[in-house]
Amino acid sequence: MADGRLVIGTKRYSSWSLRGWLMVQMAGLDVEEVVVPLAGGGGTEAIKAISPNGLVPYLEHLGARLWESSAIAEYCAEHVPSLWPTDRIARAHARSIAAEMHAGFRALRMAMPMNLGRSFPGRGRNPECLADIARIEALWAEALAAHTGPFLFGRAFTLADAMYAPVVTRFLTWQPELSAVTQAYCQAVRAHPLVDRWYREAAAEPREWLLDKYESPA
């Protein structure tokens, strides 16, 4: 019997679910995966009946209940401390950029929603979204230069990378103009076995779960 459950939304669309799922997988937590299809606005009555804040991801594990991605990240790091960089200064840097992702970049999220099954090159660009992209590129470039890649803090895929994985999917879908450094990082994240597994499982979801809001954006 599993030690708990992880409730997530549609893998094709749910960026926050991807973050929580990656964290739980990286920590090796033994949980049942419960996928609840999203509605047009994101949440559903089914999710609200399960999750304390009515959103996903939601983790139950050995009596603990966690419903924010930042809390799930720290809980997973309690089980596997190496999910954050071992160096104190690098760890502080990683936590800072992960927190910035958790709290910000709303313009990017709104203009370029996650859709793992479509391609919208050249679309979704507006000044606010492009400013978010510029900031993300600067964050990534600084970390990659300091730690030599291929991931933000070196050879290991950390919780900081998990926080930004959905941004990578957005860049791959919407194809804004990106630096060579950013493109190389996106390819490294896309090739990670866990990210690739999420893509494959998203592609296998029922067609009834497709939402026109995300398949035919304005």
Side-chain angles (χ1 to χ4, degrees):
M1 180 178 294
D3 293 331
R5 62 177 177 169
L6 175 68
V7 182
I8 58 176
T10 314
K11 291 185 176 181
R12 187 179 180 99
Y13 306 131
S14 184
S15 58
W16 289 106
S17 294
L18 172 55
R19 292 182 175 99
W21 182 88
L22 284 171
M23 294 166 184
V24 167
Q25 293 294 324
M26 293 159 68
L29 303 187
D30 180 17
V31 295
E32 174 191 5
E33 183 178 306
V34 179
V35 180
V36 181
L38 299 181
T44 68
E45 291 304 316
I47 293 174
K48 292 175 183 177
I50 300 171
S51 172
N53 66 346
L55 301 171
V56 288
Y58 169 54
L59 173 64
E60 295 176 346
H61 183 256
L62 296 175
R65 301 165 65 241
L66 302 105
W67 55 88
E68 279 289 345
S69 295
S70 58
I72 293 172
E74 294 300 340
Y75 182 77
C76 289
E78 290 177 0
H79 289 267
V80 183
S82 61
L83 295 182
W84 289 121
T86 55
D87 177 76
R88 177 182 62 85
I89 294 174
R91 188 165 61 251
H93 186 191
R95 282 188 164 124
S96 293
I97 67 173
E100 186 169 350
M101 178 66 255
H102 190 270
F105 305 121
R106 185 175 185 276
L108 171 64
R109 298 177 191 177
M110 297 300 293
M112 298 181 177
M114 180 166 142
N115 184 333
L116 302 192
R118 296 293 305 278
S119 179
F120 304 115
R123 298 175 61 184
R125 303 178 188 185
N126 60 52
E128 296 78 16
C129 176
L130 293 176
D132 278 356
I133 291 172
R135 174 58 182 163
I136 290 167
E137 286 204 272
L139 286 171
W140 290 0
E142 180 183 15
L144 290 164
H147 303 284
T148 69
F151 301 114
L152 294 176
F153 291 88
R155 297 191 63 81
F157 189 90
T158 69
L159 292 167
D161 298 291
M163 284 298 296
Y164 281 93
V167 174
V168 169
T169 75
R170 286 177 160 92
F171 287 174
L172 295 176
T173 296
W174 294 86
Q175 300 176 35
E177 295 181 5
L178 302 169
S179 71
V181 169
T182 298
Q183 292 179 44
Y185 174 67
C186 287
Q187 292 305 315
V189 171
R190 176 63 182 86
H192 189 278
L194 288 176
V195 176
D196 185 62
R197 175 181 160 191
W198 180 277
Y199 263 86
R200 287 186 282 106
E201 293 177 359
E205 290 177 332
R207 290 192 58 81
E208 306 87 80
W209 292 4
L210 296 179
L211 297 173
D212 187 64
K213 173 182 178 178
Y214 300 119
E215 297 302 314
S216 304

